[in-house]
Amino acid sequence: MALSFRSRVEHASAPLAERVNSVPRPLFLGGLVVVLLVGVFAPAPWGGIAFALVTVLVAWLLYLTWPRLTMPEQLMRLAVLTLAAAVTIVRFFPRG
């Protein structure tokens, strides 16, 4: 019996999700803040890469948690993902 795409992604993500979950939250959040600061203050290509990493992380977590979220939670997380993607694009292609 073939597994659905979601099941395959969840199964493949389980080891990484467990590793992320084993990191102390302050350390994980501190690392995320450092990556975001690099994204804000680094020159164009590096800032875009840093924000792209954050965008991919947000998208991955959103995909894994989507079925368990209520509609308002889904909308809030989609707003965060949209904002992260927009900042990524702006950092890769700055005006002027």
Side-chain angles (χ1 to χ4, degrees):
M1 178 176 195
L3 295 174
S4 68
F5 179 74
R6 173 168 290 285
S7 295
R8 289 187 306 221
V9 170
E10 288 175 351
H11 182 70
S13 297
L16 183 58
E18 288 176 11
R19 194 172 310 153
V20 167
N21 197 31
S22 69
V23 175
R25 285 187 192 236
L27 184 62
F28 181 77
L29 290 175
L32 185 62
V33 167
V34 167
V35 173
L36 287 171
L37 288 174
V38 167
V40 169
F41 294 112
W46 298 110
I49 291 169
F51 270 107
L53 288 172
V54 172
T55 302
V56 168
L57 175 68
V58 169
W60 174 62
L61 292 174
L62 179 62
Y63 184 78
L64 291 177
T65 59
W66 189 264
R68 294 173 274 293
L69 298 174
T70 63
M71 180 61 73
E73 292 170 330
Q74 289 174 342
L75 292 175
M76 287 187 294
R77 283 168 175 83
L78 275 175
V80 170
L81 179 61
T82 303
L83 179 64
V87 171
T88 300
I89 292 168
V90 169
R91 291 298 290 160
F92 272 120
F93 306 106
R95 264 175 66 187

